[in-house]
Amino acid sequence: MKLSQFYTKTRRSMAAQDSINAYLLEKAGFISQVAAGVYAYLPMAVRSMQKIEQIVREEMNELGGSEVVFSALQPKKTWEQSGRWEDKNFRQIVYLDTDVDMTFGATHEEPMTIAVKQGVQSYRDLPVILYQFQTKFRKELRAKSGLLRGREFRMKDLYSFHSDEKSHQQFYEEAAEAYLTTFERLGLEAYRVKASGGIFGAEHSDEFQVLCETGEDEILVDHQTKTGFNTEIENQLKVVDVKKLDRVKAIEVGNIFHLGTKYAEAFDLKYLDASGTRQSVWMGSYGIGISRLLGTLAELFNDENGLKLPRQVAPFAVVIIDLTNGKTGRKVHDLLEKAGIEVLLDDRDEPPGTKLVDADLIGYPIRLVHSAKTAQDGKIELKERASGKMTLVNLEDVVKHVSRLLSLKAKV
Amino acid sequence: MKLSQFYTKTRRSMAAQDSINAYLLEKAGFISQVAAGVYAYLPMAVRSMQKIEQIVREEMNELGGSEVVFSALQPKKTWEQSGRWEDKNFRQIVYLDTDVDMTFGATHEEPMTIAVKQGVQSYRDLPVILYQFQTKFRKELRAKSGLLRGREFRMKDLYSFHSDEKSHQQFYEEAAEAYLTTFERLGLEAYRVKASGGIFGAEHSDEFQVLCETGEDEILVDHQTKTGFNTEIENQLKVVDVKKLDRVKAIEVGNIFHLGTKYAEAFDLKYLDASGTRQSVWMGSYGIGISRLLGTLAELFNDENGLKLPRQVAPFAVVIIDLTNGKTGRKVHDLLEKAGIEVLLDDRDEPPGTKLVDADLIGYPIRLVHSAKTAQDGKIELKERASGKMTLVNLEDVVKHVSRLLSLKAKV
């Protein structure tokens, strides 16, 4: 890809933002603020988000999920039927509670239960595992921290339907494992943290938290086992030795909930078991914040020069800057692209300084600079963004060298 | 893929629907109605929609577009600034006009103009071509016709920014060509039809219409040149010989608008030309209804047994039904999957009749049936859904035969 054919603009100067991720992502041209807690995703961010979604999609498929896309609009009456419409906590966060018979739901237990009811008659129709990527809306009073807490955000939510508590519990643990794998593939080390059921009507839940000094959650963790507790349930912690736990700040990137038979009862989602008896379906719900993940990655992977997103989520793997007549840069670009490497050639009519500063700000994992000096020896300068390590590579070896570096770094 | 690992349920009986597409797509398990004009997309539909989107994405990239995702929520004040908030036609179709300072916009001229303003200073920064896939919302009073006119729908919208009228006009024509290519790749023959500017503040526009007896638009067309006029502008038709045109029903699948400098003026989107003079940017907007395309394809490609979606948008290319012990079916499935063919093995514990009826209803382009009878000669029965043509194929030739058929059919 040539930068002249790809719309992206970094910003030289920018007012202070409410968070590192908002500041860096906006300065690097990934996002543009539309209103408090509402962002437009520009081409660089779309590429990163698509990569995050694809990793999550692969793991949810591996878990046995089938992808769906439910509507954002939901009939108000279904929320009345589940009893959540009267829930003060929920009423505050949904849109459209006045003159229309619909609501924008921040979660999809109701319509999923209703849709699955159409397809499930007997135990042979279970389990059902559905997931979706969707834009969600919350009347968020505390919109802040850039992509970490917005009024409009991208989510992956998955809903599981099992015939009994035992098979549900087993799947719940498989989902927890899949979550840890997902976050690891994204370059994040997540802790599994016990928490309350919250507004999902769940008895209890598990959160997946990534340690971060600027995170808004406070958790107690055991670094050895990578587990812990959200301090919101501290009064339940009498059984464990709190002194052994470390109190840290963190960002919640995912959560999973036991829903029991609550929604099955509310919507009469029953099945006939092997003996012909009607039984309620056991459900769970499982969320991952996709746009929040991009915010978390930006919050964690950066330095004073800009972003350092992990290779598997960076918009492009390689940037090429040719400080000579451009011929070598174009040649290397074509070779890398032919080898299937996501490369961007900075062919803008801009001064060298601007291109070098932008490369660090956007944080391409590998930067190749061709100059009169490197040309003398038939070489190109290769800089790794994460470590800052510089190497001079023979021009004829550049594809081999870049491929090797990228496959070494690839956790995917 | 094995059907036991992919959630889909057809429906044996179903109440009459307001349209063929809603009836067939719901019966075949592609969609599930949530409310009037609001549908959930189930796994089969998600696969088709992703294929439609990918074809559109490739054509928009080819046209020079960069993919973005803007927010559905938009500040009310920006709509006041463009003058559209006072437009009675618009006020009726947007959500959230009461107690919040935001609106769900059914179109994105305002935020796109504002975002591009941040990146454009001089003529060297132009043109800018941005597009997105997005869920849009309209307070649709006439929600009807299944996926053809909904209150929530999926759109591709593209916005172009050029330095002058001439370069804008040239791009507008390129976009029109790209649209015709896109619809052709999807298996649709679209007519380019002149229409009024509508609520987009455009001077005039072009619609892309697919002939369909159940369509809600009435157009006058010349079948030779595949062009025509929307009857809404009939009074402007004095210059052409209306008698030569054919009056037909059609479905609008895309539209393109000249916006002139209207939005650039409203939001002061100016650039410095080569002589250092400030000039207004020329804009166009270009829409394609993604979910409407799925509805249109279902409306056009069907028979009394079910859907016959073109191969390039069908959820799977091949279904396998093994009426014997299942061993051969599994083997053929593995061979086809290894060859990169999207195949679904119907391994459900259901009677043969159910599987055969479902295969026609869902409309897999190729159906392979293995029975005791075909097994005698080492063959498998191959049926093409579109033509109904049946062939007996040697088991050892099945991959070769299916691959050849699919590549012959592939318009993509």
Side-chain angles (χ1 to χ4, degrees):
Chain A
M1 179 75 74
K2 286 167 186 165
L3 193 36
S4 55
Q5 284 154 13
F6 181 83
Y7 180 77
T8 196
K9 300 279 178 189
T10 55
R11 295 170 73 168
R12 281 295 143 261
S13 65
M14 220 180 63
Q17 297 292 309
D18 63 3
S19 62
I20 296 166
N21 76 83
Y23 181 81
L24 280 178
L25 289 171
E26 192 143 0
K27 193 159 196 279
F30 280 56
I31 60 174
S32 173
Q33 191 177 41
V34 172
V38 183
Y39 292 89
Y41 299 97
L42 301 175
M44 286 287 184
V46 168
R47 288 179 72 97
S48 285
M49 295 264 277
Q50 285 174 344
K51 288 176 187 200
I52 293 171
E53 285 199 6
Q54 186 53 29
I55 288 174
V56 174
R57 176 177 287 117
E58 286 168 18
E59 292 301 323
M60 296 305 108
N61 288 343
E62 187 68 28
L63 191 58
S66 296
E67 188 172 355
V68 296
V69 179
F70 273 54
S71 59
L73 283 168
Q74 300 181 34
K76 196 196 284 184
K77 64 173 194 284
T78 62
W79 286 68
E80 287 165 346
Q81 199 173 337
S82 67
R84 290 208 285 186
W85 192 252
E86 289 72 35
D87 184 332
K88 195 163 51 74
N89 291 319
F90 242 124
R91 282 293 297 279
Q92 284 171 1
I93 64 167
V94 297
Y95 283 105
L96 295 189
D97 48 352
T98 49
D99 63 339
V100 284
D101 59 346
M102 305 292 281
T103 175
F104 283 96
T107 174
H108 276 72
E109 280 77 7
E110 286 82 356
M112 290 275 176
T113 307
I114 293 167
V116 167
K117 190 182 164 172
Q118 291 179 344
V120 167
Q121 274 92 43
S122 93
Y123 68 97
R124 295 187 308 156
D125 298 318
L126 294 169
V128 173
I129 300 152
L130 301 177
Y131 73 93
Q132 63 177 350
F133 293 96
Q134 208 191 46
T135 300
K136 306 255 175 178
F137 307 97
R138 286 176 72 127
K139 232 188 253 174
E140 181 59 75
L141 303 175
R142 292 187 293 151
K144 60 171 190 177
S145 309
L147 300 189
L148 300 184
R149 184 181 282 279
R151 294 198 274 173
E152 174 168 348
F153 51 94
R154 192 92 177 140
M155 278 276 295
K156 184 284 302 175
D157 42 335
L158 182 145
Y159 302 84
S160 68
F161 303 82
H162 284 82
S163 55
D164 54 31
E165 185 171 6
K166 193 181 158 194
S167 56
H168 162 72
Q169 284 286 1
Q170 193 182 327
F171 178 80
Y172 186 89
E173 288 304 315
E174 285 168 17
E177 280 304 312
Y179 267 42
L180 291 174
T181 307
T182 303
F183 299 126
E184 196 187 331
R185 284 184 64 187
L186 292 166
L188 294 170
E189 187 178 64
Y191 283 60
R192 182 173 170 180
V193 170
K194 290 228 166 298
S196 73
I199 54 178
F200 286 81
E203 286 165 41
H204 86 269
S205 70
D206 290 84
E207 293 171 351
F208 294 84
Q209 297 268 8
V210 172
L211 307 197
C212 179
E213 278 169 30
T214 52
E216 65 175 18
D217 278 24
E218 199 172 61
I219 55 175
L220 289 163
V221 295
D222 173 359
H223 294 295
Q224 208 99 51
T225 58
K226 310 275 181 251
T227 57
F229 301 86
N230 194 311
T231 53
E232 69 179 19
I233 58 162
E234 205 147 359
N235 57 340
Q236 296 171 34
L237 295 184
K238 288 167 202 153
V239 287
V240 296
D241 188 349
V242 174
K243 281 180 204 157
K244 280 190 181 166
L245 300 174
D246 191 17
R247 183 181 292 263
V248 290
K249 291 281 190 181
I251 300 170
E252 184 189 339
V253 288
N255 49 29
I256 60 179
F257 297 90
H258 293 288
L259 300 177
T261 58
K262 174 183 157 73
Y263 293 92
E265 307 279 350
F267 294 97
D268 196 34
L269 170 57
K270 305 264 167 98
Y271 70 96
L272 292 179
D273 69 15
S275 71
T277 313
R278 287 189 90 218
Q279 303 275 9
S280 285
V281 170
W282 283 73
M283 287 174 57
S285 76
Y286 312 78
I288 289 181
I290 300 293
S291 44
R292 181 180 279 197
L293 273 173
L294 180 58
T296 303
L297 288 161
E299 197 79 17
L300 288 173
F301 294 91
N302 63 70
D303 63 16
E304 66 280 11
N305 297 320
L307 293 166
K308 301 201 294 188
L309 295 181
R311 167 231 178 312
Q312 58 273 33
V313 294
F316 291 92
V318 181
V319 68
I320 301 170
I321 300 172
D322 186 342
L323 305 178
T324 68
N325 62 15
K327 207 171 142 188
T328 303
R330 284 195 296 277
K331 197 175 149 192
V332 172
H333 166 269
D334 293 352
L335 286 171
L336 288 173
E337 202 160 74
K338 208 175 153 190
I341 292 164
E342 290 183 309
V343 57
L344 194 68
L345 175 66
D346 190 346
D347 59 348
R348 292 176 298 170
D349 184 16
E350 294 284 352
T354 301
K355 295 187 181 185
L356 296 170
V357 166
D358 278 354
D360 277 354
L361 178 56
I362 292 165
Y364 308 93
I366 293 176
R367 188 190 78 185
L368 296 172
V369 176
H370 184 69
S371 63
K373 200 167 162 236
T374 65
Q376 281 179 353
D377 307 320
K379 289 182 187 285
I380 196 164
E381 179 200 279
L382 184 155
K383 184 180 158 191
E384 296 175 54
R385 179 70 178 92
S387 63
K389 191 181 160 193
M390 299 249 226
T391 336
L392 284 173
V393 179
N394 288 328
L395 273 171
E396 60 262 36
D397 295 336
V398 71
V399 173
K400 197 175 70 182
H401 203 87
V402 167
S403 301
R404 196 177 56 79
L405 269 180
L406 291 176
S407 66
L408 281 180
K409 280 176 199 295
K411 291 177 186 167
V412 287
Chain B
M1 177 76 73
K2 287 169 185 164
L3 193 36
S4 56
Q5 284 152 14
F6 181 82
Y7 180 78
T8 197
K9 301 278 176 189
T10 55
R11 294 170 74 168
R12 282 294 143 263
S13 65
M14 220 180 62
Q17 297 293 308
D18 63 2
S19 62
I20 296 168
N21 76 83
Y23 181 81
L24 281 177
L25 289 171
E26 191 144 359
K27 193 158 195 280
F30 280 57
I31 59 174
S32 174
Q33 191 178 40
V34 173
V38 183
Y39 292 88
Y41 299 96
L42 301 176
M44 286 289 185
V46 168
R47 289 180 71 96
S48 285
M49 295 265 277
Q50 284 174 345
K51 288 175 187 201
I52 294 171
E53 286 199 5
Q54 186 53 29
I55 288 174
V56 175
R57 176 178 287 119
E58 286 168 17
E59 292 300 325
M60 295 306 109
N61 288 343
E62 187 67 27
L63 192 57
S66 295
E67 188 172 353
V68 296
V69 180
F70 272 54
S71 59
L73 284 168
Q74 300 181 31
K76 195 195 284 183
K77 65 172 193 284
T78 62
W79 287 67
E80 288 166 346
Q81 198 173 337
S82 67
R84 289 209 285 186
W85 191 253
E86 289 71 35
D87 184 333
K88 195 163 53 72
N89 292 318
F90 241 125
R91 281 294 296 279
Q92 283 170 1
I93 63 168
V94 298
Y95 283 105
L96 296 189
D97 48 353
T98 48
D99 64 338
V100 284
D101 59 347
M102 305 291 281
T103 175
F104 283 95
T107 174
H108 276 72
E109 281 78 7
E110 285 82 355
M112 289 275 177
T113 308
I114 293 167
V116 166
K117 191 181 164 171
Q118 290 178 345
V120 169
Q121 274 92 42
S122 93
Y123 67 97
R124 295 188 307 157
D125 297 318
L126 295 168
V128 173
I129 300 152
L130 300 178
Y131 74 93
Q132 62 177 351
F133 293 96
Q134 207 190 47
T135 300
K136 307 254 177 181
F137 307 97
R138 285 176 73 128
K139 232 189 253 175
E140 181 61 73
L141 303 176
R142 292 187 294 152
K144 61 171 189 178
S145 308
L147 299 189
L148 299 183
R149 185 180 282 279
R151 294 198 273 171
E152 174 168 348
F153 52 94
R154 191 94 176 141
M155 279 276 294
K156 184 285 302 175
D157 43 336
L158 181 145
Y159 302 85
S160 67
F161 303 82
H162 284 82
S163 54
D164 53 32
E165 186 171 6
K166 193 182 159 193
S167 55
H168 161 72
Q169 285 285 2
Q170 191 182 326
F171 178 81
Y172 186 90
E173 288 305 316
E174 285 168 18
E177 280 303 312
Y179 267 41
L180 291 173
T181 307
T182 302
F183 299 127
E184 195 188 334
R185 284 185 63 186
L186 291 167
L188 295 169
E189 187 177 65
Y191 284 59
R192 182 173 170 180
V193 170
K194 290 227 167 299
S196 73
I199 54 178
F200 288 80
E203 286 165 39
H204 85 269
S205 70
D206 289 84
E207 293 172 350
F208 294 83
Q209 298 267 9
V210 172
L211 307 196
C212 178
E213 279 169 29
T214 53
E216 66 175 18
D217 278 26
E218 199 172 62
I219 55 175
L220 289 163
V221 295
D222 173 359
H223 294 296
Q224 207 98 53
T225 59
K226 309 277 181 247
T227 57
F229 300 86
N230 195 310
T231 53
E232 68 179 18
I233 57 162
E234 204 147 0
N235 58 340
Q236 296 171 35
L237 295 184
K238 287 165 204 156
V239 287
V240 296
D241 188 349
V242 173
K243 279 180 204 157
K244 281 190 181 166
L245 300 175
D246 191 16
R247 184 181 293 262
V248 290
K249 292 279 190 181
I251 300 170
E252 183 188 340
V253 288
N255 48 29
I256 60 179
F257 297 90
H258 292 290
L259 300 177
T261 58
K262 173 185 157 74
Y263 293 92
E265 307 279 349
F267 294 98
D268 196 35
L269 169 56
K270 306 264 167 97
Y271 69 95
L272 292 178
D273 69 14
S275 72
T277 312
R278 289 188 88 217
Q279 304 274 9
S280 286
V281 169
W282 283 74
M283 287 174 57
S285 76
Y286 313 79
I288 289 181
I290 299 294
S291 44
R292 180 180 278 196
L293 273 172
L294 180 59
T296 303
L297 289 161
E299 197 79 16
L300 288 172
F301 294 91
N302 63 70
D303 62 16
E304 65 281 12
N305 297 320
L307 293 166
K308 302 200 293 186
L309 295 181
R311 166 231 179 309
Q312 58 273 32
V313 294
F316 291 92
V318 181
V319 68
I320 300 171
I321 299 171
D322 187 342
L323 305 178
T324 68
N325 62 15
K327 207 171 141 187
T328 303
R330 284 194 295 276
K331 198 176 149 190
V332 172
H333 165 270
D334 293 351
L335 285 172
L336 289 173
E337 200 160 74
K338 209 174 154 191
I341 292 163
E342 289 183 310
V343 57
L344 194 67
L345 174 67
D346 190 346
D347 59 348
R348 291 176 299 168
D349 184 15
E350 295 285 352
T354 302
K355 293 187 182 186
L356 296 170
V357 166
D358 277 355
D360 277 354
L361 179 56
I362 292 165
Y364 308 93
I366 293 176
R367 188 190 79 184
L368 295 172
V369 176
H370 184 70
S371 64
K373 200 167 163 236
T374 66
Q376 281 178 355
D377 308 320
K379 289 182 187 286
I380 197 164
E381 179 200 279
L382 184 153
K383 184 179 160 194
E384 296 175 56
R385 180 70 179 93
S387 63
K389 191 181 160 193
M390 299 249 227
T391 338
L392 285 172
V393 179
N394 287 328
L395 273 171
E396 59 262 37
D397 295 336
V398 70
V399 172
K400 197 175 70 185
H401 203 87
V402 167
S403 301
R404 197 177 54 82
L405 270 181
L406 291 176
S407 66
L408 281 179
K409 281 175 199 293
K411 292 179 182 161
V412 288

